[in-house]
Amino acid sequence: MALDCHNIGLNGRNVHASNLLACRDFSPRLSVSSTNSTSPADTAVPIKLETMITTLFGREEPEKSDPKPEKGFFDRMRQAVSRTRESFSAKISDLAALTRTVDESALDQLETALLSSDLGVPTTTAILDSLRDRARHQAIEGGAELRDLLKEQLVAILKAPQAAAATPQVLPPKVTFLVGVNGTGKTTSSGKLAAWSRAQNRSVLLCAADTFRAAAIEQLEVWASRSGVEMIKTRPGGDPAAVLFDAISAAKSRSIDDLYVDTAGRLHTKTGLMDELDKMRRTAARLIPGAPHEVLLVMDATTGQNGLQQARQFTQSAGVTGIILTKLDGTAKGGIAVAIARELSLPVRFVGVGEKMTDLLEFSPAEFVDSLLE
């Protein structure tokens, strides 16, 4: 049998079996010797291509699909805080198992566990004072009850700023600024927020107002493409307030629901950049009364208490309304979320738990605490 291949790269004829799959344009020909003649006669015998390939190479087995069910919110949160839970939950579990009577020694052990998870001294002290007050009025019966009371304390701390900062319903477009220092993940969070809004069946527009950092605009373009939304941009070094003006005008004309504005990374001490942010706020308010409706400070969870101090100073000058806590999956300092809620009196709105487009979760205090202690 010979194969006449019309693929120029395979030199036209007599294709070896090893090259069969590479040749996409050929005609099979089977040569049959005639028994009634001294010279062989080439007789074309039709060959079914599928049969021939099966004979030579065997039948290709279809890939077995083993679809894994998509993880729920609790499972994803639990996985994200696994490093924190390994240290924190283990200590709490040991304490609950060994403690029959909650005394000062047990509370000292609890204090160590809370501090090691980066809740910070003020938050840890407040929790222990509350537990001691409870113990004076009503005995805490063993480690299991202590664990339950701790969960109540943590959830209450995390919920308090959420209730105080409940976002009222606004007419679209809702304008959200993302602010913070460099390296915390503002641009990435902007793209993930766009995907999150799309999943809520809301229309989205991105504004590339970080004209200061090299490649920031290009990075946001990638995220816009991945999340399937449009983006308004200007040239690098351009006026952020001007591109914001264009973005808000476009959002209004296109009836966009959510406009996310990626701003340049800045420290609160950089007067020029803070003045620039004030100018953007005035521009937004002039075009849409009440805008920006949210100013989300993007914080890196891995920086722990150092990041908290920086955030404290930043929020005083930037009008921050909520926190996006990124890189939660990469730290054992997940307790920083509790410290943020109590010391900054700001709600944690979203947490970043990975690199994928969908790895930005809307924060739930109860689910977060359960994932730490279950």
Side-chain angles (χ1 to χ4, degrees):
M1 180 180 68
L3 297 174
D4 291 338
C5 181
H6 308 294
N7 186 324
I8 298 176
L10 294 177
N11 298 323
R13 299 183 62 81
N14 297 328
V15 182
H16 189 270
S18 63
N19 289 328
L20 179 60
L21 293 180
C23 183
R24 300 298 183 190
D25 186 16
F26 60 81
S27 55
R29 173 171 48 83
L30 181 62
S31 298
V32 182
S33 299
S34 173
T35 56
N36 298 325
S37 173
T38 56
S39 60
D42 288 342
T43 306
V45 179
I47 304 172
K48 198 171 183 179
L49 183 58
E50 181 182 357
T51 303
M52 180 176 62
I53 293 178
T54 301
T55 303
L56 290 173
F57 301 105
R59 185 173 298 277
E60 182 180 7
E61 293 293 332
E63 292 185 6
K64 295 182 179 179
S65 59
D66 185 19
K68 295 181 180 179
E70 187 176 348
K71 291 183 178 180
F73 179 92
F74 177 77
D75 291 331
R76 296 180 68 192
M77 181 66 77
R78 194 172 190 276
Q79 182 178 354
V81 299
S82 59
R83 293 182 62 181
T84 303
R85 187 177 63 252
E86 286 171 4
S87 59
F88 182 63
S89 183
K91 293 174 184 176
I92 300 300
S93 295
D94 291 344
L95 181 61
L98 298 175
T99 301
R100 295 184 178 180
T101 302
V102 177
D103 53 15
E104 276 301 317
S105 175
L107 292 178
D108 287 344
Q109 294 180 54
L110 176 60
E111 180 180 25
T112 301
L114 295 175
L115 289 174
S116 65
S117 298
D118 231 30
L119 267 75
V121 173
T123 303
T124 298
T125 301
I127 291 173
L128 291 175
D129 286 347
S130 177
L131 291 174
R132 287 190 178 98
D133 185 63
R134 160 62 191 268
R136 281 194 296 268
H137 292 84
Q138 181 180 351
I140 301 175
E141 301 295 337
E145 185 179 3
L146 177 62
R147 181 193 187 102
D148 291 340
L149 290 172
L150 174 62
K151 288 178 66 172
E152 291 178 10
Q153 287 281 312
L154 295 175
V155 171
I157 290 172
L158 289 166
K159 280 186 174 181
Q162 286 190 331
T167 305
Q169 293 292 328
V170 298
L171 294 175
K174 179 182 177 182
V175 181
T176 301
F177 284 9
L178 277 77
V179 301
V181 301
N182 281 323
T184 55
K186 290 187 306 302
T187 302
T188 298
S189 297
S190 298
K192 291 180 178 180
L193 276 173
W196 178 82
S197 286
R198 286 289 304 275
Q200 313 298 315
N201 295 318
R202 296 176 64 84
S203 56
V204 185
L205 186 64
L206 287 173
C207 173
D210 182 357
T211 63
F212 184 75
R213 179 172 65 88
I217 297 174
E218 291 80 359
Q219 183 185 356
L220 190 62
E221 276 185 311
V222 172
W223 280 104
S225 176
R226 291 177 62 186
S227 55
V229 303
E230 294 185 339
M231 184 183 92
I232 304 297
K233 63 179 181 178
T234 187
R235 57 179 175 77
D239 183 2
V243 71
L244 174 62
F245 182 95
D246 292 342
I248 292 179
S249 300
K252 292 172 69 175
S253 65
R254 301 175 193 179
S255 300
I256 294 293
D257 294 318
D258 293 321
L259 172 64
Y260 293 112
V261 184
D262 179 34
T263 68
R266 69 200 77 213
L267 290 170
H268 68 286
T269 55
K270 298 292 184 181
T271 306
L273 288 174
M274 294 307 295
D275 289 344
E276 179 185 271
L277 186 59
D278 286 338
K279 181 181 177 182
M280 292 175 63
R281 292 173 63 91
R282 293 194 303 270
T283 299
R286 188 169 67 251
L287 293 174
I288 302 177
H293 305 102
E294 283 202 84
V295 179
L296 299 179
L297 175 65
V298 183
M299 286 183 59
D300 182 345
T302 63
T303 60
Q305 289 292 316
N306 292 332
L308 181 64
Q309 178 60 24
Q310 196 174 66
R312 181 181 290 108
Q313 296 168 334
F314 199 101
T315 54
Q316 294 172 358
S317 54
V320 174
T321 61
I323 302 291
I324 297 178
L325 193 60
T326 62
K327 308 174 188 178
L328 187 63
D329 57 318
T331 182
K333 302 177 180 180
I336 192 63
V338 183
I340 289 169
R342 185 184 181 278
E343 296 185 40
L344 299 183
S345 297
L346 288 172
V348 177
R349 293 292 316 281
F350 296 90
V351 288
V353 298
E355 298 298 325
K356 296 179 181 177
M357 178 71 73
T358 56
D359 286 341
L360 187 73
L361 305 180
E362 192 172 13
F363 187 74
S364 165
E367 297 277 9
F368 176 76
V369 174
D370 284 344
S371 66
L372 280 179
L373 292 174
E374 292 297 332

